[in-house]
Amino acid sequence: MATETRGFQTEAKKLLQLMINSLYSNKEIFLRELISNASDAIDKLRFESLANPELIAEDSDYRIRIEFDKEEGTLTISDNGIGMSRDEVVDNLGTIAKSGTEEFFSQLTGDQKQDSALIGQFGVGFYSAFIVADEVEVRTCRAGSSEGTLWTSTGEDDFTIGEEECSRGTKVTLRLKKDASEFADGYRLRNIVTRYSDHIGIPVEMLEELPPKSDDDDSDTEEILPSMEVVNSARALWSRSRTDVKDEEYQEFYKHISHDFEDPAHWSHNKVEGKLEYTSLLFLPKRAPFDLWNREAPKGLKLYVQRVFIMDEAEQFLPLYLRFVRGIVDSNDLPLNVSRELLQESLHVTSIRNALTKRVLDMFSKVSADDQELYGELWDEFGQVLKEGVGEDFTNRDALLKLFRFASTKDASEDKQRVSLLDYVSRAKDDQDKIYFLVAESLAAARQSPHLETFNKQEVEVLLLFDRVDEWFVSFVEEFEGKKFQNVMRGDLNLAKGDQEQEDSEEKDDPLLGRIKTVLESQVETVRKSKRLTESAACLVLGDEDMGYQMRRMMEAAGQPVPESKPHLEVNLDHPLLGRLDKEQDEERFQNIVRILFDQAALADGTSLAEPGEYVKRINQLIVELME
Ligand code: ADP
């Protein structure tokens, strides 16, 4: 097939530019990325060869090799792994096949500093070669094929692709930029390999460094040629004992499997022996991946069976709400030819999944006990996803609830969610049998809600919920530590026990309530005297069975039918406005003010008005009257 030149996909070009700018000060990670790709390629071949041993008949000693030429300024990383066909080269090195790429690019601001932080979430990879190289050549041949491919690019607009002799695996040659000549040096390279890639289960080889020949050594002994030596420990990290692995090694391993370039927040490495035998190594990232909310985004663990890599993204080992967890699981009980379908049905997998889920929740709980600041950051990143767990994972509901953090009326200075349910319960009043919460569109809206007035006055803490999943998730929880959850916008509040009965009878007798109800007949269920308000004139209260505003908005946005329901209007009879209203003789004016009162109560809850134009007209009419 002829040599041809092709343009990079637009995204690939943008990504390349961004990467070169972002990683300039951390150039050396290109080597980790290329070694990582080489090791993945060997893992894949090892797996394919289980079914097709022919593939490795001629060469079954897997290895990654690093060679350099100081004079030429080149560096070559080669592997004898799976290799790529011509089409695969075009797809893999000319386009970005990740789902959610468009979303990622839409998040970029053009501000170099901010965008640089995002690139880590996207994951670097092969293109990082262009941080140090002004030209990259990839020679590759798919195992089992006899046609090799040569891909060349300067990382600008295009790449060329042509034929090449076949030698199984992939050889990536970098022509180093002038300011990256330091990488054509044996000591420097060894140093990077031990730092970043020591844990890779495949030997990384380099030519040994011979001591320089001294000038006065003129003996005519034969020149000793350097031979290849292995420069990493070449033992899968998770197969080592926990006590032998240094923190830095875990951190590098995390970067190897996740392509993240920040350290993980926490990890947990466990070997389980007995009826089920497996090893797991799980990591909590510090930051959510950019595609956390994308349904097609890759998720799941790397699966190994008896040290042999089987598949990436084995989703069956963790529930969906823990999709951001990275790691590996290596099982001794699964067959080597296990498929995704088999995983789905396997009881082994279900038991491992249950154990790993608990492990992840334990990691969170450990961080929350040891480092509250870090826990707060994790909550900000993953809290919304963990909330999904309440609907998805009944068994761990209590453990999950303990991890949740909320904003609250008790720490008004804090604009973050940092109050736990245990905090709440421990400082609740002695006779308080409920956990009070309010759901609003934003924290600011929540703090201003008239529904909080009586709670503030009586110093009863209310949790302020404003994440879009909140109303949904509380619908799954009945209680925590024996206290029932109570939405402060719902039902008949009975905060101050006492002269309830007397009030009820007063309420029935108050003619003003009846007059208001006549005006709002079609809009409200009842009009009643409020036990909630101390400052505002009126508020709307939902019935116990009514759908909340947040859920309503979500269903409306999704085009689903929403059940009809009318709120109750509660009025504060001690408010001067109500006092005046009671004396209003002009029926038209009375009706106008009642309607304004109703609309204002709706506005205070963040709901939109059915007839905003009418509201504005009424208010303006009042203003005009005032100015006359
Ligand atoms: P990632 O590794 O995150 O998928 P990369 O940009 O590093 O992204 O690589 C893109 C794809 O190119 C890989 O998924 C793989 O299919 C292919 N690839 C890269 N390096 C090699 C290699 N040494 N051998 C075989 N395939 C490779």
Side-chain angles (χ1 to χ4, degrees):
M1 228 182 273
T3 301
E4 52 181 324
T5 301
R6 298 227 197 161
F8 277 118
Q9 180 200 26
T10 332
E11 277 84 19
K13 238 163 76 181
K14 274 200 220 162
L15 187 66
L16 234 146
Q17 215 42 50
L18 187 62
M19 198 167 298
I20 293 171
N21 292 335
S22 311
L23 297 176
Y24 193 75
S25 56
N26 198 2
K27 287 189 198 128
E28 65 206 34
I29 63 147
F30 81 93
L31 193 60
R32 174 185 81 206
E33 297 299 316
L34 296 182
I35 292 179
S36 208
N37 280 348
S39 130
D40 288 350
I42 290 173
D43 273 348
K44 281 181 202 156
L45 177 58
R46 192 184 271 159
F47 177 65
E48 277 197 19
S49 70
L50 294 175
N52 188 1
E54 275 298 290
L55 293 179
I56 53 164
E58 281 170 25
D59 176 11
S60 58
D61 286 335
Y62 297 112
R63 46 120 197 104
I64 298 167
R65 210 165 256 181
I66 303 178
E67 289 153 298
F68 61 91
D69 184 325
K70 219 175 197 133
E71 259 94 76
E72 294 286 322
T74 59
L75 174 64
T76 301
I77 294 98
S78 55
D79 65 72
N80 53 357
I82 190 85
M84 286 177 269
S85 67
R86 186 176 173 118
D87 287 347
E88 284 170 333
V89 174
V90 173
D91 282 350
N92 293 335
L93 308 185
T95 59
I96 301 168
K98 284 188 201 180
S99 60
T101 307
E102 249 169 67
E103 268 165 66
F104 172 76
F105 282 101
S106 69
Q107 285 175 33
L108 298 181
T109 58
D111 177 87
Q112 243 189 50
K113 242 195 167 149
Q114 275 183 39
D115 292 350
S116 300
L118 284 175
I119 189 91
Q121 281 172 284
F122 190 79
V124 276
F126 170 77
Y127 291 134
S128 61
F130 289 102
I131 308 172
V132 294
D134 44 26
E135 188 176 40
V136 178
E137 288 175 355
V138 180
R139 292 177 171 77
T140 183
C141 185
R142 185 91 170 59
S145 159
S146 56
E147 286 166 22
T149 305
L150 169 65
W151 178 99
T152 325
S153 178
T154 53
E156 278 154 0
D157 291 319
D158 46 32
F159 57 89
T160 61
I161 188 149
E163 269 181 57
E164 175 72 17
E165 262 177 47
C166 179
S167 157
R168 188 189 85 204
T170 303
K171 191 172 198 173
V172 181
T173 302
L174 316 183
R175 200 178 69 211
L176 294 170
K177 291 181 182 173
K178 283 222 164 50
D179 63 1
S181 56
E182 66 193 83
F183 295 110
D185 177 276
Y187 291 105
R188 177 86 167 102
L189 289 167
R190 273 179 170 70
N191 187 295
I192 303 174
V193 172
T194 30
R195 187 130 125 249
Y196 292 114
S197 308
D198 202 47
H199 53 264
I200 293 211
I202 291 160
V204 177
E205 298 177 350
M206 286 180 68
L207 276 182
E208 61 182 329
E209 296 280 326
L210 295 177
K213 252 170 78 174
S214 59
D215 289 342
D216 47 60
D217 182 6
D218 50 3
S219 61
D220 53 353
T221 49
E222 233 177 276
E223 196 181 357
I224 310 170
L225 289 174
S227 55
M228 281 289 170
E229 63 178 2
V230 176
V231 295
N232 64 339
S233 59
R235 215 179 131 198
L237 178 118
W238 66 90
S239 65
R240 289 159 58 191
S241 144
R242 211 158 42 188
T243 46
D244 290 345
V245 186
K246 293 203 276 290
D247 284 0
E248 298 79 54
E249 292 180 284
Y250 281 120
Q251 287 160 349
E252 284 314 326
F253 185 74
Y254 164 73
K255 291 174 188 166
H256 160 65
I257 58 168
S258 67
H259 293 280
D260 190 349
F261 62 69
E262 263 193 275
D263 287 336
H266 202 67
W267 59 85
S268 169
H269 179 192
N270 296 280
K271 196 170 269 176
V272 175
E273 276 159 358
K275 224 166 78 199
L276 259 184
E277 293 199 354
Y278 66 91
T279 302
S280 63
L281 173 52
L282 304 174
F283 294 93
L284 292 184
K286 272 201 187 123
R287 300 227 288 161
F290 75 100
D291 50 6
L292 184 64
W293 301 103
N294 184 330
R295 282 175 170 275
E296 276 100 56
K299 46 190 159 292
L301 304 177
K302 263 180 184 290
L303 172 65
Y304 288 76
V305 170
Q306 295 162 35
R307 311 276 174 278
V308 178
F309 168 80
I310 305 294
M311 65 178 82
D312 278 315
E313 297 158 29
E315 296 170 8
Q316 295 77 3
F317 290 92
L318 284 175
L320 195 60
Y321 74 94
L322 298 179
R323 57 186 174 272
F324 52 86
V325 173
R326 298 283 169 258
I328 67 104
V329 54
D330 187 346
S331 157
N332 281 350
D333 305 303
L334 292 169
L336 279 164
N337 61 355
V338 68
S339 63
R340 285 187 197 271
E341 291 68 41
L342 271 172
L343 287 181
Q344 204 82 47
E345 293 154 13
S346 158
L347 290 179
H348 283 325
V349 176
T350 313
S351 319
I352 298 178
R353 173 191 169 111
N354 292 341
L356 297 188
T357 305
K358 288 216 161 58
R359 247 185 204 128
V360 175
L361 299 182
D362 284 349
M363 278 199 270
F364 272 110
S365 125
K366 188 150 187 349
V367 177
S368 79
D370 296 349
D371 186 342
Q372 298 213 6
E373 198 180 323
L374 177 61
Y375 188 74
E377 286 168 24
L378 287 182
W379 179 254
D380 293 342
E381 292 289 315
F382 304 114
Q384 291 208 42
V385 203
L386 288 178
K387 283 179 188 166
E388 290 175 12
V390 167
E392 199 185 335
D393 184 358
F394 182 77
T395 343
N396 291 305
R397 199 170 277 179
D398 273 346
L400 272 164
L401 284 177
K402 283 189 186 140
L403 297 177
F404 289 7
R405 296 292 181 269
F406 302 94
S408 142
T409 49
K410 272 280 154 73
D411 56 345
S413 59
E414 211 23 293
D415 63 351
K416 299 240 158 76
Q417 301 168 326
R418 295 293 179 264
V419 175
S420 72
L421 291 173
L422 287 172
D423 295 336
Y424 184 97
V425 169
S426 70
R427 59 197 186 206
K429 302 215 154 177
D430 290 342
D431 61 347
Q432 187 184 330
D433 57 358
K434 299 218 169 68
I435 294 174
Y436 293 104
F437 69 90
L438 175 130
V439 186
E441 273 301 276
S442 66
L443 183 55
R447 288 208 191 281
Q448 288 166 20
S449 170
H451 293 275
L452 295 177
E453 289 172 8
T454 186
F455 290 90
N456 287 343
K457 191 161 172 222
Q458 298 182 56
E459 297 184 344
V460 172
E461 182 168 13
V462 178
L463 300 176
L464 306 174
L465 279 54
F466 53 93
D467 278 344
R468 64 194 169 122
V469 293
D470 280 342
E471 215 166 68
W472 174 86
F473 111 77
V474 283
S475 69
F476 287 94
V477 285
E478 286 265 296
E479 55 166 49
F480 178 79
E481 306 255 303
K483 295 198 194 304
K484 285 210 166 6
F485 282 82
Q486 168 73 47
N487 185 335
V488 300
M489 290 168 85
R490 269 180 204 282
D492 215 1
L493 257 200
N494 198 7
L495 242 196
K497 297 174 183 160
D499 48 4
Q500 172 93 27
E501 273 169 33
Q502 195 197 335
E503 277 187 27
D504 283 352
S505 61
E506 266 176 32
E507 195 172 305
K508 286 193 191 82
D509 290 337
D510 202 312
L512 178 61
L513 301 178
R515 254 181 102 190
I516 298 177
K517 168 77 172 141
T518 319
V519 181
L520 298 174
E521 193 61 56
S522 63
Q523 283 153 291
V524 300
E525 197 60 47
T526 63
V527 177
R528 58 196 191 204
K529 179 183 166 180
S530 182
K531 293 174 207 127
R532 291 174 159 82
L533 303 175
T534 59
E535 286 161 37
S536 301
C539 69
L540 295 177
V541 174
L542 297 172
D544 279 330
E545 304 305 324
D546 291 347
M547 179 176 280
Y549 296 124
Q550 201 180 43
M551 204 91 113
R552 194 169 272 274
R553 269 191 292 266
M554 257 159 65
M555 292 189 59
E556 277 168 358
Q560 288 176 13
V562 180
E564 281 278 325
S565 71
K566 288 195 233 169
H568 304 265
L569 179 72
E570 288 198 355
V571 292
N572 176 2
L573 291 177
D574 297 330
H575 194 283
L577 202 155
L578 274 295
R580 281 290 305 274
L581 194 63
D582 201 18
K583 298 194 188 83
E584 184 58 60
Q585 297 302 320
D586 180 338
E587 188 52 27
E588 195 190 327
R589 207 150 181 247
F590 179 84
Q591 290 190 11
N592 264 345
I593 295 176
V594 167
R595 295 217 157 85
I596 290 175
L597 211 56
F598 174 80
D599 283 351
Q600 284 180 337
L603 286 175
D605 285 338
T607 46
S608 49
L609 302 181
E611 295 178 322
E614 288 300 311
Y615 173 74
V616 173
K617 253 192 236 160
R618 285 189 200 108
I619 292 275
N620 285 353
Q621 190 183 332
L622 281 186
I623 298 175
V624 171
E625 282 173 25
L626 247 178
M627 295 195 300
E628 269 168 5

